[in-house]
Amino acid sequence: MTSLRETYEAATRGLDAPFAMVDLAAFRANATALTRRAHGKPVRVASKSVRSRELLRTVLSLPGYAGVMAFTLPEALWLATGDRPVSDDVLVAYPTVDRRALDRLVRDPAAARSITLMVDDTAHLDLIGAAVAAGSRGPDAPPVRVCLDIDTSWQPLGPRARVGTYRSPVRTPAQAAALARAVAARPELELDGIMAYEGQIAGVGDAPPGRPLYGRLLRAVQRRSALELARRRAAIVRAVRAVADLRFVNGGGTGSLHTTGRERAVTELAAGSGLYHPHLFDHYRSFGGRPAALFALPVVRRPAPGVATALGGGYPASGPVNAHRAPLPHLPAGLSYSPNEGAGEVQTPLLGAAADGLSVGDRVWMRHAKAGELCERFDTLHLVDSDTGEYAGAVPTYRGEGQAFL
């Protein structure tokens, strides 16, 4: 039986490493697994975890997916406009202070109908209002759609005992309703939805390797956080719906689809990392996935027995600085980093018995710690279907199309 490594090697024999690859069979399987966990609710694709317009189109063509969650307004304008827009329903997940992009949005009725901005402060409303006042808009121009971002952190003993990310200052039903009223008081704006992303559940693996006691504590914290948030989110939705209608209530992430999807107050979910299944998502008890995004490095040196040195490879992920942010040697199995060098800017020594099976010119297949950040390193994603063993072409990343949004 042909191994996965042999399949990848055969399908990409004509390529020179380094290069990035997406296994379409694994990508499709992961996409299906995400929707199975969503309890029938549509999944909005988080574009930052994909960063390829063609693969975003691929996901959106599958059952159970609807809309994009972008990370900046310039990106949202790029995805929602032009000759072949990716989606006519793009939610910008983070507030914007980009005045030039706001000016583009208010001057383009089609973009204004397709894009929803994130707000959590009246200062955001002021910026949007100033762009509307300065822009040249016709009498039939649509209002700018906005979404309220809600703080989801768990604070069992008050703000000083915070578990979760620092996002919105809007935490209570009263605060959400007050901001909703501020939106409703501005005719140039329309309240479109609510978003509440529980990063302390969706993005933190509940089965950390080699730390069983910590994992047990973490799961207990996540259960209590999910229970508190479900109650508070429902109350917030009720309070805001008393002010204005809502088109959607967004929640969840790859690690929490199966719990957030059960909440009646939530109308749609968001996910993206689970499509590529980077190695930070290996450590969940409730679900698994197939590594779909890899990058190949060429072996350029054999400096000693048990050592194979690859070219480049130092592609760390964002977040707290620790060893888990480095890429993970994947194929062949059994390779590890040199403790003195790690994943290097121009060379990466890899240690272990498997290194003795590698020769100069062979490849090592690596996995990034996070999902879409890999695409900031490569212009192209080469596609391989491991079910058929065939090379399926190539698609550009955002970088390959000349776009860098952050």
Side-chain angles (χ1 to χ4, degrees):
M1 183 177 178
T2 303
S3 70
L4 196 57
R5 182 185 174 204
E6 290 170 330
T7 297
Y8 292 157
E9 293 286 353
T12 62
R13 187 174 289 114
L15 302 178
D16 287 323
F19 62 84
M21 183 205 76
V22 169
D23 181 339
L24 287 178
F27 186 81
R28 290 191 299 263
N30 291 340
T32 300
L34 289 173
T35 57
R36 283 179 183 151
R37 295 170 51 226
H39 298 280
K41 293 182 178 176
V43 177
R44 187 181 290 271
V45 185
S47 64
K48 78 177 184 67
S49 300
V50 180
R51 301 194 202 199
S52 165
R53 287 202 295 180
E54 288 306 312
L55 287 181
L56 285 172
R57 292 187 179 102
T58 298
V59 179
L60 290 170
S61 70
L62 299 174
Y65 290 89
V68 171
M69 180 178 284
F71 52 95
T72 71
L73 178 53
E75 180 209 14
L77 289 163
W78 186 59
L79 295 176
T81 61
D83 295 336
R84 194 177 167 222
V86 170
S87 176
D88 62 0
D89 182 3
V90 182
L91 171 64
V92 183
Y94 302 88
T96 185
V97 295
D98 189 326
R99 291 177 174 84
R100 183 175 296 180
L102 284 170
D103 182 66
R104 287 179 56 198
L105 176 70
V106 301
R107 291 174 184 270
D108 185 341
R113 293 187 185 96
S114 301
I115 294 172
T116 302
L117 300 179
M118 193 63 61
V119 299
D120 61 34
D121 194 302
T122 55
H124 300 142
L125 309 185
D126 293 340
L127 279 168
I128 300 168
V132 171
S136 175
R137 287 161 52 92
D140 298 326
V144 177
R145 303 190 306 186
V146 299
C147 173
L148 307 186
D149 194 4
I150 305 300
D151 173 48
T152 65
S153 65
W154 186 46
Q155 301 179 12
L157 301 176
R160 293 185 179 181
R162 182 189 192 98
V163 178
T165 56
Y166 284 96
R167 291 178 67 101
S168 170
V170 180
R171 179 171 179 82
T172 68
Q175 290 171 329
L179 187 55
R181 286 192 292 269
V183 173
R186 300 180 185 231
E188 73 273 19
L189 304 181
E190 177 183 335
L191 184 56
D192 197 30
I194 289 174
M195 186 184 81
Y197 168 65
E198 58 276 10
Q200 70 273 19
I201 305 170
V204 179
D206 61 0
R211 304 177 70 187
L213 294 179
Y214 175 71
R216 189 177 304 169
L217 174 63
L218 180 59
R219 289 189 291 274
V221 167
Q222 289 179 333
R223 284 194 299 270
R224 294 191 179 191
S225 175
L227 180 60
E228 184 276 333
L229 177 59
R231 292 169 177 168
R232 181 159 53 89
R233 182 156 39 199
I236 287 171
V237 171
R238 287 194 299 270
V240 173
R241 286 193 186 277
V243 176
D245 291 333
L246 295 171
R247 182 170 67 95
F248 65 86
V249 176
N250 182 280
T254 290
S256 62
L257 293 180
H258 54 293
T259 54
T260 307
R262 296 192 186 103
E263 295 182 33
R264 294 180 62 183
V266 174
T267 67
E268 65 170 40
L269 303 169
S273 294
L275 296 166
Y276 287 164
H277 197 77
H279 76 74
L280 281 179
F281 283 79
D282 285 347
H283 308 301
Y284 287 83
R285 295 200 317 169
S286 54
F287 72 95
R290 293 168 57 181
L294 309 172
F295 62 96
L297 300 178
V299 175
V300 293
R301 287 175 171 165
R302 285 299 318 276
V307 183
T309 300
L311 182 70
Y315 309 149
S318 60
V321 179
N322 57 46
H324 301 296
R325 302 287 151 171
L328 183 70
H330 182 52
L331 297 173
L335 295 172
S336 62
Y337 290 122
S338 160
N340 295 324
E341 295 190 53
E345 178 186 7
V346 290
Q347 73 165 33
T348 297
L350 296 164
L351 315 182
D356 286 327
L358 295 170
S359 301
V360 170
D362 287 344
R363 297 165 177 167
V364 176
W365 297 85
M366 311 283 288
R367 296 171 64 197
H368 204 272
K370 297 184 76 173
E373 290 183 15
L374 172 65
C375 296
E376 299 299 330
R377 299 285 183 168
F378 294 94
D379 293 342
T380 301
L381 295 173
H382 294 277
L383 307 180
V384 171
D385 190 329
S386 60
D387 283 348
T388 65
E390 296 179 352
Y391 179 77
V395 296
T397 61
Y398 282 11
R399 169 177 153 157
E401 295 197 68
Q403 301 295 330
F405 297 108
L406 283 177

